[in-house]
Amino acid sequence: YVICDEGHLLDGAISRLGELDLGAGSGVITIEEAIDNADHALPSMKKLRDTASLYSGAHRVTAKKVELLERLVAIRGHTDGYILDSNANKIRPIWPTVVGNTVDIILGGDRGRGKKLVIMSATILDPVLYGELMGLGKPGVDFTYIQVPNTFPATSGPIMYRPAASVTRATADKAAGPMARGIKLALEQRPGVKGIIHTVSYDWAVRLWGLLPPSRVLAHTVSKEKGMALNEFRKPGHDKWLLSPAVAHGEDFPYDEARAQILTKMPFPSLGDVVVKARMELIKAGRVAKALTDWYGWATMIEVWQMIGRPVRAHDDFAETVILDSQFGRLVKQYPKFVPDSVREQLTAGGSKI
């Protein structure tokens, strides 16, 4: 068996495997131009590789360049599944299935890494959508889907929906003031308590940081400051809250490290990302499988539930979640199938009415 944890991240992981890096300053304006350039450069690059000493640095560098050029040439005639990201100087697959079969990629085409694949995640949410997205087929037919119930009591993680503002790119300036007031109220109601303030984006973190009391809030507004801010926050003996856009994954805050958290913004996939935009255009045009039509809502709700799960890590743990962005209420109503029963119980435990 090969065990793949955090299976909700496989979409991004496999998609990144299929990215083709054109290098800084490539200047290409179409995928076809990039392919033509690669086709032209490939013979001379192969010659450089073959004439370089086998174990030399020159051989390693030119071998990697040959591999990239060959991958570029190989997508000729199949470019509908790719998008040019001019900002990143990359050609990127629109869906992970463009890269290849998920099982083959992880286990190896000859199954050299294992015979069976186990994908684990607390936030698959919809096995039909996930199976289509990852090219696994249909649950119960092509793969086995096993759902394990959440055994943590709902009272250990009550969710309190207390809308303070609607936060979108268009409303951010207007929403910052009411959101900051909502955060300050939540902090005042919890003296002596440490917690997390999720902001989703650095831009939103900067907007809020200037409106919040520094006596209760630690912040990092650039990625390189994250480690230092986390180390400071994890120290005992204070009641400060960590304002961060970057702790929704890979970080745990058990027991007294965080007895509460605040969600200030819904983690919508950015429409400024060319892949997200391309997916949404295909969905709008009806050019995707029916199971994928709600992909945007599904991707958003996965991130919401991942954030909610950060502080409660054991049966005897406890932490409150306060959701201040009114977009959460809309999402719950629009995508009820992506709201697990255990989360509904947590909403009830928190006195939330949606």
Side-chain angles (χ1 to χ4, degrees), residues 9-238:
L9 300 176
L10 263 184
D11 174 9
I14 290 181
S15 294
R16 283 189 292 275
L17 286 177
E19 291 180 350
L20 299 163
D21 193 341
L22 302 177
S26 65
V28 299
I29 58 174
T30 66
I31 294 177
E32 289 73 17
E33 182 184 354
I35 295 171
D36 288 342
N37 290 347
D39 213 0
H40 178 75
L42 188 55
S44 58
M45 190 58 64
K46 282 183 175 180
K47 186 175 181 179
L48 286 172
R49 177 200 62 187
D50 295 342
T51 55
S53 221
L54 184 57
Y55 299 108
S56 66
H59 186 275
R60 288 194 297 272
V61 170
T62 52
K64 286 182 180 180
K65 289 183 178 179
V66 167
E67 180 187 1
L68 173 62
L69 294 173
E70 288 178 336
R71 288 175 61 202
L72 274 165
V73 172
I75 69 170
R76 190 187 295 278
H78 309 284
T79 56
D80 285 351
Y82 292 85
I83 189 83
L84 177 64
D85 187 342
S86 299
N87 291 328
N89 291 304
K90 292 180 179 179
I91 294 173
R92 300 169 60 193
I94 298 173
W95 301 102
T97 47
V98 173
V99 183
N101 180 281
T102 295
V103 176
D104 287 344
I105 290 171
I106 297 175
L107 296 185
D110 57 357
R111 299 296 191 266
R113 301 188 190 98
K115 299 303 180 185
K116 291 190 178 182
L117 173 64
V118 179
I119 298 173
M120 300 170 55
S121 174
T123 51
I124 295 295
L125 302 183
D126 184 340
V128 176
L129 188 156
Y130 188 80
E132 185 68 39
L133 176 67
M134 301 310 304
L136 300 174
K138 296 180 179 179
V141 178
D142 303 299
F143 67 94
T144 301
Y145 178 69
I146 301 172
Q147 186 168 7
V148 180
N150 180 2
T151 59
F152 288 10
T155 51
S156 70
I159 301 172
M160 303 169 183
Y161 175 53
R162 306 290 188 265
S166 173
V167 184
T168 65
R169 181 179 294 182
T171 64
D173 287 336
K174 183 179 178 181
M179 184 59 68
R181 289 192 290 273
I183 295 170
K184 286 189 279 189
L185 177 61
L187 269 57
E188 290 166 3
Q189 293 171 340
R190 295 165 177 82
V193 171
K194 293 170 63 178
I196 307 297
I197 304 170
H198 296 278
T199 64
V200 177
S201 74
Y202 281 103
D203 178 67
W204 185 234
V206 170
R207 289 173 189 263
L208 293 176
W209 173 229
L211 302 173
L212 297 174
S215 60
R216 290 295 307 275
V217 180
L218 291 167
H220 73 96
T221 53
V222 293
S223 60
K224 65 182 180 181
E225 296 174 353
K226 177 183 173 181
M228 184 170 60
L230 276 171
N231 289 338
E232 186 67 22
F233 174 73
R234 292 188 193 279
K235 293 178 182 178
H238 67 82

Side-chain angles (χ1 to χ4, degrees), residues 156 193-198 233-234 238 240-242 252-262 310-313 317-321:
S156 70
V193 171
K194 293 170 63 178
I196 307 297
I197 304 170
H198 296 278
F233 174 73
R234 292 188 193 279
H238 67 82
K240 290 191 174 184
W241 290 55
L242 177 65
D252 297 337
F253 303 95
Y255 300 106
D256 288 340
E257 277 199 13
R259 290 297 184 184
Q261 62 179 346
I262 301 171
R310 289 309 92 201
V312 179
R313 312 304 296 180
D317 201 351
F318 173 83
E320 299 172 312
T321 294

